[in-house]
Every structure is written in C-alpha cells, then in structure tokens.
Amino acid sequence: MFPRGVLFSLAIVVLAVFIWSAIHPHDYFTWILEVFPAIIGALVLALTYRRFPLTPLTYTLIALHMIILMVGGHYTYAEVPIGSWIRDQFGLSRNHYDRVGHFAQGFVPAMIAREVLLRLNVLKRGRWLFVVVVSVCLAISALYELLEWIVSALTGSAGDAFLGTQGDVFDTQKDMALALVGAVTALITLSKLHDKQLAIDR
C-alpha cells in the first residue's frame, strides 16, 4: 500500500494544481469539460481507498494524468504555453499538448485496467490480459471522442476549444491512435514494476 504520507503529499500537489487551474481559466465552460474527469476520478479514489487501495505506481500515474487534464483545462489544449513554445521553436503546424493528453489517456488507464483485472481475478497475466487492457483503453478513447463530438454538436462554437481539432480533419483518428500507443507503451514498460508492487500488496 502507498505510504499515507506520500499519498497525502501527492493529493496536496494535485489539489494545488486544481486550485490554480480554476483561477481565471481561458473559459469556465471548457475548464469544466476538461477537468470533470479528474474530479470524478478523485471522488472514486477517495471512496474506494480503504476497500480497494491501488499500487503506488497507479496512484502516481493517475495524479500525473489529473495534472495534465487540469493544465489543459486552464489554457485549453490548443493554447498551453509549453506546447506553443515547442510549436514555434520547431516550426510545427500546431500545439501538440493535446497529443500528450491522448497518449496519457491510453497510458494511465492501461495500468488501472490491468490492476483491476488482476486483483479481481478476472484474467491472469498473459496475452489475453494484454489484449483486453488495450481494448479497454481504446474503448475509453473512442467514448471520449464521441463525447467531444456530442458537446461540439450541441454547443456549436462554444465547444470548439473542447473539441480542439486545430484544423486537422484526422484529429479524432490520431487521438485514438495515440491512446493505443500509450496503452501498449505502458504495458511493455511498466508491467514488471507493476507486478512487483502487486506482489508486495498481497
């Protein structure tokens, strides 16, 4: 189990970023849409902490993902300063911060899904675990893209910042591809460390 002091420190950092993010964001409509998943995630983690505490690795990844969402919500993904600086320095056509967010959208849920499936004995380690986890991440990514489409269709120009295509007609497909790459990368690079932490927690 994650030492409470470390988990508390992680929670304080996330809370501090959340408060900063909520102060004069680009617009509050976009901010709510972008940060809402992090708020729901925090509530779920708080409610399940005693009955189903996660590994340190998973908690840390979730915290990083929340921060990515909050930074994107504050500026909008198309206008995050570090992404704009990289775009200008390297002559890129767009701000790629949203690509980081969609990579994380596969990378972090992969570890969450892996942990839940293993600890609940739904699947054992092996090829099927890999396939199912990647499929879950792709389903999450597709669901998020559908949500973006619905919000944009219902709100018109008010939802443009949330949609964040930046003029790329293949933005949706690229976002889902990055989630796929993120999920596969997480499983390839972190599974051994994750298994060690799962063994310790038993």
Side-chain angles (χ1 to χ4, degrees):
M1 184 182 293
F2 212 150
R4 289 189 177 183
V6 178
L7 183 58
F8 180 76
S9 298
L10 204 58
I12 291 297
V13 170
V14 171
L15 179 60
V17 175
F18 173 78
I19 293 171
W20 163 82
S21 177
I23 299 173
H24 304 302
H26 180 273
D27 67 88
Y28 277 105
F29 179 69
T30 302
W31 180 82
I32 290 170
L33 291 173
E34 299 290 6
V35 177
F36 186 71
I39 297 172
I40 295 299
L43 290 174
V44 170
L45 291 177
L47 292 172
T48 59
Y49 173 70
R50 291 189 180 278
R51 291 185 292 109
F52 200 83
L54 303 174
T55 57
L57 173 64
T58 304
Y59 275 130
T60 302
L61 290 174
I62 291 171
L64 290 173
H65 196 186
M66 288 179 174
I67 290 171
I68 290 171
L69 292 172
M70 292 169 189
V71 172
H74 182 80
Y75 293 109
T76 78
Y77 280 85
E79 299 181 28
V80 173
I82 184 64
S84 296
W85 180 84
I86 292 172
R87 178 197 62 206
D88 296 341
Q89 290 296 312
F90 294 95
L92 303 176
S93 60
R94 60 175 286 154
N95 186 318
H96 283 284
Y97 184 81
D98 70 314
R99 304 300 192 204
V100 175
H102 285 282
F103 179 87
Q105 193 180 65
F107 195 95
V108 179
M111 287 296 101
I112 299 172
R114 187 177 192 274
E115 183 155 338
V116 170
L117 291 171
L118 285 175
R119 289 179 57 187
L120 294 180
N121 296 314
V122 178
L123 289 170
K124 296 181 180 179
R125 291 166 180 80
R127 294 177 182 176
W128 276 112
L129 178 64
F130 188 97
V131 170
V132 171
V133 167
V134 170
S135 299
V136 167
C137 294
L138 278 173
I140 292 170
S141 179
L143 181 62
Y144 193 81
E145 295 300 328
L146 289 173
L147 175 63
E148 285 186 345
W149 166 57
I150 291 169
V151 169
S152 182
L154 291 176
T155 62
S157 60
D160 287 349
F162 180 57
L163 190 61
T165 60
Q166 298 184 62
D168 186 352
V169 296
F170 297 113
D171 183 72
T172 297
Q173 291 85 351
K174 291 175 182 177
D175 287 347
M176 290 189 289
L178 278 166
L180 170 61
V181 172
V184 172
T185 301
L187 292 173
I188 290 173
T189 60
L190 296 180
S191 289
K192 288 185 178 180
L193 174 60
H194 195 216
D195 285 343
K196 289 180 181 179
Q197 294 190 359
L198 287 171
I200 291 172
D201 286 345
R202 287 175 181 171

